[in-house]
Amino acid sequence: MSKLDIAPAFRLSNPPGLYDPSPNGYSHVAQLQPQAQLLYIAGQGGEDSQGKLSSVFAEQARQALANLATALQSRGASFDHVFKLTLLIVDHDQEKLSTWVEEIDRAWGESMKPVCTLIPVPRLALDGMQIEIDAVAAIQ
């Protein structure tokens, strides 16, 4: 199987009895398939390859997702293989959530979004850093 043919090794669902999380950019449950190979991606921030960081939250979110895509591609994976995200957002509010949903919708398109935990934090590792995305992906 070529790198482009690597299949996701999980199934996402939103069980009856829980609210529909899709407007907030995530799913409730991810079930791994037998023989899944897990990829753990360290927290990706909004810095570019030169270490520059925009002061605009949306640009940082977009760059953090681009960084995540680069890390996944290094192992032949893509966003389609991600089943779990952890978001750390500095000074989180409804506006940042709306911006995040726009960015994840742009990245994932119509596909179900990964399960996700968003954690508001007072600060991240770098001065000016507003978002960090930690991911777990599964391939077969």
Side-chain angles (χ1 to χ4, degrees):
M1 189 177 278
S2 76
K3 286 186 176 187
L4 296 176
D5 295 330
I6 295 175
F10 62 88
R11 193 183 71 134
L12 297 172
S13 64
N14 293 315
L18 297 176
Y19 90 102
D20 178 7
S22 57
N24 291 321
Y26 72 98
S27 299
H28 282 298
V29 178
Q31 178 182 4
L32 291 176
Q33 302 299 322
Q35 310 303 319
Q37 179 184 0
L38 297 178
L39 305 174
Y40 295 91
I41 310 298
Q44 298 299 308
E47 64 277 5
D48 66 17
S49 62
Q50 306 303 309
K52 294 181 183 162
L53 200 57
S54 170
S55 62
V56 177
F57 178 77
E59 292 174 9
Q60 282 196 31
R62 197 170 303 125
Q63 183 64 54
L65 285 165
N67 295 344
L68 174 57
T70 298
L72 291 164
Q73 290 166 0
S74 76
R75 293 293 170 246
S78 70
F79 290 144
D80 292 339
H81 299 93
V82 174
F83 68 89
K84 171 69 172 116
L85 295 175
T86 302
L87 297 176
L88 305 174
I89 296 179
V90 173
D91 298 326
H92 173 68
D93 59 18
Q94 193 62 41
E95 183 179 339
K96 286 184 177 177
L97 177 60
S98 295
T99 299
W100 167 251
V101 171
E102 289 174 17
E103 295 303 326
I104 197 168
D105 282 349
R106 183 176 291 126
W108 263 260
E110 296 297 315
S111 300
M112 285 186 75
K113 309 309 183 278
V115 299
C116 183
T117 299
L118 188 156
I119 304 169
V121 295
R123 176 178 166 75
L124 290 167
L126 304 174
D127 288 341
M129 192 174 179
Q130 298 181 55
I131 186 169
E132 188 169 348
I133 305 170
D134 176 291
V136 183
I139 57 176
Q140 296 199 87

